Amino acid sequence: MALVYVARSAALTKWASDVGQGKQIFKLAVAGNEAEAKAAIAAGWGGETDWKLIQSKEVEGLDEETAVARLTRREKVIDPTYYPRLKGAAGVFRITLTNVQNALLVAKAMTADEPLTDVKVKPKDIADYMIRNAIA
């Protein structure tokens, strides 16, 4: 089984904000197991080692290229060849909060248990959104 996970770096987020990419920068990756994921997060990407695991989910038969391609249909991937700081780190995404809010509102409307109000998006909600779109 593969482990799809989402990580975030505060330092890389600050850099992305400075270069015009916004503050909602997350890394989607796939590892063979939890130990491999933790080792990759500890090693870091983009010259930063302050990456934190936000969310993970085990799925059957999914590789990183497929997961990134599926999420690219909905969100903008930051090109690692255009930004030398990323140095070949594929799977770094700039997430649009409106898309996440819309997905949360639709999910709320489908349950009909709660009234439809403004949705406050948390990093865990963004990670769930990314993983859902990467495996679908």
Side-chain angles (χ1 to χ4, degrees):
M1 283 221 116
L3 184 75
V4 178
Y5 62 95
V6 175
R8 184 175 192 190
S9 166
L12 192 73
T13 299
K14 184 179 179 332
W15 166 81
S17 179
D18 290 344
V19 298
Q21 287 294 328
K23 293 183 178 182
Q24 306 304 327
I25 304 300
F26 294 85
K27 165 84 170 139
L28 177 81
V30 178
N33 56 37
E34 191 172 337
E36 287 180 19
K38 286 183 179 183
I41 291 170
W45 298 276
E48 301 297 340
T49 57
D50 68 335
W51 290 87
K52 304 273 188 249
L53 178 67
I54 305 293
Q55 183 78 7
S56 64
K57 182 175 183 177
E58 286 190 4
V59 294
E60 189 68 38
L62 183 68
D63 63 346
E64 189 163 345
E65 290 177 9
T66 305
V68 169
R70 288 177 180 171
L71 185 56
T72 302
R73 293 184 294 198
R74 299 240 183 212
E75 295 297 333
K76 182 179 185 246
V77 67
I78 298 175
D79 188 4
T81 57
Y82 186 73
Y83 293 98
R85 176 151 185 188
L86 295 178
K87 298 177 189 164
V92 178
F93 284 88
R94 174 182 161 189
I95 302 298
T96 307
L97 285 181
T98 306
N99 293 348
V100 178
Q101 288 173 334
N102 289 342
L104 290 172
L105 279 172
V106 168
K108 234 184 204 187
M110 297 300 279
T111 60
D113 293 340
E114 301 177 26
L116 296 177
T117 59
D118 283 341
V119 177
K120 301 217 183 213
V121 179
K122 300 172 191 81
K124 189 167 181 110
D125 296 330
I126 294 171
D128 286 338
Y129 167 80
M130 289 176 70
I131 291 172
R132 233 185 2 257
N133 285 305
I135 62 176

